[in-house]
Amino acid sequence: MRLSRIISPLAALLIGGAAFGDTPQRVVSLNLCTDQLAMLVAAPGQLAAVTPLAANPRTSAMADQARDLSVTHGRAEEIYLMQPDLVVAGRFTARATVEMLRRLDIPVAEFAPAYALTDVADRLAQMGAVLGQEARADALIAQFNSGLADVQAETDTRPQAALYYANGYTSGGTSLAGQILRAGGFDNVATDLGYGAIGALPLELLALADPDVVVTGNPYPGASRAEAVMDHPVVTALKRGRVSGTVTDRDWVCGTPYALRAVQAMADLRRAVEAGQ
């Protein structure tokens, strides 16, 4: 199945109508991931404001949709004046703001980060419940589950891959990125080395693992010492003469249906690696 057929129905749901009834009518989001979950699930006019990151195409898979929404910078005073009847936030985001809003009797629904592909359906269901849009969420969940079954790789041969980011960090099998890598048909070097969610991978261990492919972070514009490690001679040598890949933040960082694009990219990369072996 072409990936466009998986993702395009999401846009159709964004413009579908739904009666509010007793559902919250003015919702504000404080987190990039809840921004996108709310944009997917909310009925037209229900979502009042999102974070500035939602309109950044580097970090958000829904930047175009977010540009039509008001922006909040996460200050309690600012949000209070918006008069929301619900705020959605990440579990670890803007703690002082969340606590202040609750003291002001503004309801706040918190969402845990997604650590697995199965969390995508859970987060959509949670957003559907708090927004009173269960039917919309259920439709998205069905599309995501069907799409994941179509794109995830079932293969007897699994090349080894290493995820390598700024400051030498990597992701193991109990992270969303690690599960995307696995669904794309790779074995994860970090998992074999005992990494769970995330941790620093020394260059020496990376070199000794000698993976078939290194998937690096996508550097931001400008110079960064934290990102310079991705151009270290060890990493360059591991990439030389081999297929390599990059992590596109917007499809990898949040547990939304757009993670399917990251799985598809890894499946395409696996096929390229195997073709070159």
Side-chain angles (χ1 to χ4, degrees), residues 42-43 47 57 67 69 74 185 203 212 221:
L47 183 59
R67 292 190 184 102
L69 295 169
L203 282 166
D212 297 301

Side-chain angles (χ1 to χ4, degrees), residues 28-42 47 49-55 59-62 88-93 109-115 119-120 123-124 126-127 131 176 249-259:
V28 172
S29 172
L30 296 181
N31 173 272
L32 171 63
C33 298
T34 57
D35 290 341
Q36 295 175 89
L37 289 167
M39 282 190 283
L40 285 166
V41 175
L47 183 59
V50 294
T51 70
L53 288 173
T59 56
S60 172
M62 302 183 68
V88 291
R91 181 173 293 173
F92 304 110
T93 305
E110 294 186 53
F111 289 70
Y115 297 111
D119 288 342
V120 174
R123 300 299 174 271
L124 286 168
Q126 182 184 359
M127 187 62 75
L131 297 188
L176 180 61
D249 292 346
R250 63 182 175 270
D251 296 331
W252 290 71
V253 298
C254 289
T256 75
Y258 292 97

Side-chain angles (χ1 to χ4, degrees), residues 37 47 126 128 139 158 165 168 202 204 213 225 243 257 270-271:
L37 289 167
L47 183 59
Q126 182 184 359
R158 286 183 169 271
Y165 317 128
E204 295 86 348
V213 61
R225 293 185 66 183
V243 176
R270 177 185 56 80
R271 284 188 284 269

Side-chain angles (χ1 to χ4, degrees), residues 229-241:
V229 70
M230 294 186 291
D231 294 321
H232 190 281
V234 168
V235 179
T236 302
L238 287 171
K239 287 184 172 183
R240 188 176 297 121

